[in-house]
Amino acid sequence: MTEKADIAVIGLGVMGQNLALNIESKGFKVVGYDHDAGKANAFAEHRAKGKRISIEPRLDRLAAQLKVPRKALLMVPAGKPVDELLESLALFLDKGDIVIDGGNSFFLDTQGRCQKAEETGLLFIGTGVSGGEEGALKGPSIMPGGSPAAWPEVKPILTAIAAKADDGAPCCEWIGVGGAGHFVKMVHNGIEYADMQLIGEAYFVMSRLLGMQEHEMADVFDAWSHDDLQSYLVEITRDILREIDSETGEPMIRKIKDTAGQKGTGKWTSQVSLDLGVAAPTIAESVFARCMSAAREERIQTSALYSWPTMPASDKVQALDDVRQALLASKICAYAQGFRLLREADREHGWGLNLASITAIWRAGCIIRARILEPIRQAFLDQPDLANLLQSAQFASTLHMAQEGWRRTVSACVLEGVPVPALASALSYFDGCRSARLPANLLQAQRDYFGAHTFERLDKPGSFHHVWARSRSKTES
């Protein structure tokens, strides 16, 4: 009798293939399917050849090859393809079988799919998978959420294939019910957008403001990869800046068009932050920066109309240290915004998110893995109810020491006309968070003046409306 498979992987693009190979390498048998028969057969004949991976051309035959309860991991584009596949696959599944959506689905879609599946007796998991193609093959960070009854069944597989942190812990843990897993992955990606933009702005300051060559900048990022700024993104930035174009002999970075793409998760993070009333300006500015980059022809035309200001050259050693401080402080603010959003969403949806646990599963495998995650984890372990990372004593000390260089960097960029929207918005966020008083009292007065929206007073409780002098005189006349 043919041995049945432990799990199916449906969708054999590069991510699906790499996850299938990762699962098989950990001792599990896999059955794969793709609606593109040519892609599935090519995988079977090459990368999967000689391994415990079989390919089935039909979903009914695939379901028949699975151990009970059946487990199917979907690696297909978010949106309509997921719903269509779920509808087709459900015809061949039984009560208690498990479907895992491993794509970047919107968390509210996942909540709806989870509820619908449970109504039919199926169990549904929406899981974030971070780490790109290499992570999928060698060990990603995995963020599962959905039907709690499914977790014990899939835990052995998911924790086996996940990346391992320095302490040996798998970078995979149950996040919560409904769309919790995909929400956490969405916020992860929002922080990723901000981190990438901040690093890009640091590179831009070195290039435009300090006139540094690519090999010099690579050396700086290499030095930063060994201190508090150590991260996967800093390390690959160093490698990118050292890469030479074989056709021209010039640095490869000079040949790449300055228009950035996006798949929507950063936009979702920004939209949800507005829905929940949580300030996440650095994440939002990073999304807008990509939108700005897309308008390249418009930017080129506009640039011809304006000359650049010229400022006296600054001390390069001091300026580089200032950029380092600006990047570190802004990164802390980006993480603070992401975790503040997670806490507010948890309050809204009742998922029971464990912020220390979430931080722990980002320590390896994922795109935002970085040295800073361990002190963030410790901050939430020390203060589980910590409202904002900026209130942590350790990060308060770091930000206090970094702010002078941060301000000099942003100021120099403003004076020189170098756009640094993420660095500047992070600084404004920091200043907003540390301001005991903001000008919102004037906003409330304005709203009350023109719309009688009322306001609260500092000296007594209640809601008040004031008949303003000019408004009163107009009414009387």
Side-chain angles (χ1 to χ4, degrees), residues 47 105 114 128 173 214 233 238 245 256 319 377 384 408 434 461:
R47 302 186 73 200
S105 290
C114 186
E173 186 53 79
E214 283 77 9
L233 287 170
R238 170 201 62 201
D245 176 27
I256 299 175
R377 184 179 79 96
R408 282 194 294 266
R434 73 186 190 90

Side-chain angles (χ1 to χ4, degrees), residues 302-326:
T302 307
S303 70
L305 302 176
Y306 299 93
S307 60
W308 291 98
T310 55
M311 299 294 296
S314 57
D315 177 73
K316 187 174 178 180
V317 174
Q318 179 64 59
L320 275 176
D321 186 62
D322 287 350
V323 175
R324 180 191 173 280
Q325 299 292 352

